[in-house]
Amino acid sequence: MQDKLFYCETKGKKEETEIVVELFALLNIAVNASTDVETDFTTYTIYADTNDEILNIELILENAIKEWTEFGLSFTNPVVSTIKKEDWTEVWKRYFKIQHISPTLVIKATWLEYSSTPGQTVIEIDPGMSFGTGSHETTQACLKIIEEMASGSSNKSLLDAGCGSGILSIAASKLGFSPIYAFDYDEECIPGTLENMERNEVPKDSINLQQADISKYEPNLKFDFVVANIISSVLKENNDRLLSWIKPGGYLILAGILRTEYEQVREYFLNENITEIKTLTEKEWTSGLFYKKA
């Protein structure tokens, strides 16, 4: 079992952070951005499991920086390093805070202390290396819509496409959705989701959990709600499959979409039977709620 984690870092001006994060997203590179208020610089860190993977990212980043510099953005040269994996588990915890999704829905990482108030639903998440701690704008948008749509209803079925840490499925379970199906192409997400379910006292049989690629996943029923918090390219490539999983009279939540790409993604889903209900935009991300006519 490997004991190292590889990472590549570069720094840029604080005032350019929002656009730089968007540029990384366009490269399909997941990045952690940390701003030093004293120096006014933001450090962008990309992690990988293997040396070859991080060296490839370094090459991509070097070429991208040359192009971005022509548009007036400034960066330090990327630097590749390694860290002991056990040290990483402590380093990354500094970036997570209690997430108040709404007055009644709170997400906390396992290592943080929180005293809930009456009527609050608190979800405790240990993300491991999976996406989904409640801190990202796309996750928060999905949680807000799920909580809103749960109001006044029970036993509504839900599919969590690209479940990551399981945060959306766990929230849905606690808010009364049933049955719940979830899948992710990353096999590491499955044990992580099961651990988070146990941590939140969500029974194993309450979520039908599978490791699968979206292009091959075949559920045995249609759903009242389908949630897809996935990058834009995958959403567009699999629009017909996602739409086929929704019951007539059901809803689709699309997230993981850059604000600048949302209009294009939306056009892949709108038709005579699918209408857009609303959008949520936070920073550079836009999410949408769609309805399938009965």
Side-chain angles (χ1 to χ4, degrees):
M1 186 175 183
Q2 70 175 53
D3 61 353
K4 292 182 180 179
L5 197 69
F6 302 87
Y7 64 99
C8 180
E9 286 190 341
T10 185
K11 293 182 180 181
K13 294 179 181 178
K14 181 182 71 173
E15 61 268 23
E16 299 170 350
T17 301
E18 183 173 338
I19 190 170
V20 173
V21 170
E22 189 166 335
L23 290 170
F24 273 106
L26 291 171
L27 292 173
N28 289 326
I29 294 177
V31 63
N32 284 332
S34 175
T35 300
D36 189 321
V37 295
E38 294 183 358
T39 64
D40 278 346
F41 273 88
T42 297
T43 299
Y44 303 94
T45 309
I46 306 103
Y47 295 92
D49 290 321
T50 67
N51 186 56
D52 287 345
E53 184 181 354
I54 203 66
L55 290 175
N56 183 54
I57 289 173
E58 181 188 24
L59 179 60
I60 293 171
L61 190 55
E62 284 179 344
N63 292 330
I65 284 176
K66 291 176 183 177
E67 182 179 350
W68 297 345
T69 301
E70 295 177 2
F71 292 97
L73 300 175
S74 58
F75 301 89
T76 60
N77 292 328
V79 177
V80 168
S81 303
T82 61
I83 187 172
K84 289 184 179 179
K85 213 155 191 178
E86 60 266 29
D87 292 341
W88 157 249
T89 61
E90 296 303 319
V91 170
W92 77 323
K93 291 180 181 180
R94 299 199 305 261
Y95 300 102
F96 296 102
K97 300 177 182 178
I98 301 292
Q99 303 296 323
H100 292 267
I101 306 303
S102 74
T104 53
L105 182 59
V106 177
I107 311 296
K108 67 175 289 295
T110 54
W111 54 86
L112 298 175
E113 297 293 329
Y114 181 75
S115 297
S116 62
T117 59
Q120 280 188 333
T121 298
V122 179
I123 298 170
E124 188 170 285
I125 293 292
D126 186 350
M129 293 299 288
S130 302
F131 181 80
T133 61
S135 59
H136 197 278
E137 291 81 10
T138 59
T139 307
Q140 291 185 11
C142 291
L143 288 167
K144 288 175 182 176
I145 296 173
I146 288 171
E147 185 183 30
E148 178 184 332
M149 301 305 287
S151 178
S153 65
S154 61
N155 296 324
K156 296 291 186 179
S157 57
L158 182 141
L159 170 63
D160 182 1
C163 62
S165 67
I167 185 172
L168 301 181
S169 296
I170 291 168
S173 178
K174 285 181 167 288
L175 291 168
F177 288 84
S178 178
I180 297 170
Y181 282 50
F183 71 89
D184 201 290
Y185 77 95
D186 187 348
E187 62 183 13
E188 292 187 11
C189 293
I190 307 308
T193 293
L194 289 170
E195 289 175 8
N196 284 323
M197 288 170 61
E198 182 178 3
R199 187 172 285 112
N200 287 276
E201 299 181 347
V202 173
K204 284 186 179 180
D205 60 1
S206 66
I207 298 177
N208 183 310
L209 181 64
Q210 295 183 42
Q211 189 271 322
D213 187 278
I214 188 172
S215 64
K216 299 177 181 178
Y217 182 70
E218 295 290 349
N220 58 6
L221 73 159
K222 295 186 185 294
F223 300 87
D224 296 297
F225 292 87
V226 173
V227 185
N229 186 10
I230 308 173
I231 61 173
S232 298
S233 58
V234 176
L235 292 175
K236 290 186 291 187
E237 289 168 7
N238 294 277
N239 61 324
D240 289 338
R241 295 181 64 78
L242 287 163
L243 292 173
S244 72
W245 296 334
I246 311 168
K247 285 181 180 179
Y251 296 86
L252 172 66
I253 303 170
L254 296 179
I257 308 166
L258 287 167
R259 183 180 64 243
T260 54
E261 297 179 354
Y262 182 79
E263 294 292 332
Q264 183 187 63
V265 173
R266 178 175 63 179
E267 293 306 311
Y268 276 75
F269 290 86
L270 293 177
N271 59 46
E272 64 273 13
N273 293 316
I274 304 294
T275 58
E276 183 185 63
I277 303 297
K278 69 174 183 178
T279 61
L280 293 176
T281 298
E282 183 67 29
K283 295 185 178 178
E284 67 267 26
W285 304 95
T286 295
S287 304
L289 174 65
F290 298 80
Y291 174 72
K292 186 174 188 177
K293 294 178 183 178

